[in-house]
């Protein structure tokens, strides 16, 4: 499984990801923000706090929310 090398906030509920196999693109997470850990991220100011955790190589937020890198890779919309 390729690892996430870079992650940055784009707009709305979208992040741009770059993987170790060269794949990169935008991932829209707007339809995945449900449940106790993800509900706070519906506040766009909270969602924008996304960072890449260097140890676990996935995106995380200060409240402890994260997504599995495999899930993110599957949702990747490759930039043409």
């Amino acid at each position: 499984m390729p690892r996430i090398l870079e992650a940055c906030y784009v707009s709305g509920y979208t992040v741009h990801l770059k993987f170790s196999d060269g794949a990169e693109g935008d991932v829209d997470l707007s339809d995945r923000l449900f449940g106790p850990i993800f509900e706070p991220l519906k506040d766009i100011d909270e969602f924008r706090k996304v960072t890449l955790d260097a140890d676990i190589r996935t995106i995380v937020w200060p409240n402890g929310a994260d997504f599995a890198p495999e899930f993110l890779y599957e949702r990747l919309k490759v930039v043409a």
Side-chain angles (χ1 to χ4, degrees):
M1 176 68 212
R3 297 181 313 171
I4 301 173
L5 300 177
E6 297 176 21
C8 65
Y9 174 76
V10 176
S11 66
Y13 300 104
T14 301
V15 292
H16 184 85
L17 302 174
K18 182 176 182 179
F19 285 83
S20 60
D21 67 351
E24 71 176 284
D26 296 341
V27 177
D28 180 358
L29 297 168
S30 59
D31 65 336
R32 307 307 297 175
L33 302 180
F34 54 87
I37 196 76
F38 295 109
E39 286 288 330
L41 302 181
K42 288 184 177 178
D43 176 339
I44 201 69
D45 290 329
E46 290 303 309
F47 188 88
R48 292 175 67 147
K49 295 178 183 177
V50 63
T51 60
L52 176 63
D53 184 300
D55 293 328
I56 61 174
R57 293 284 185 189
T58 196
I59 55 175
V60 297
W61 286 265
N63 74 338
D66 65 37
F67 286 98
E70 299 85 6
F71 166 78
L72 296 167
Y73 191 82
E74 290 175 12
R75 291 184 62 107
L76 188 69
K77 295 178 182 173
V78 177
V79 175

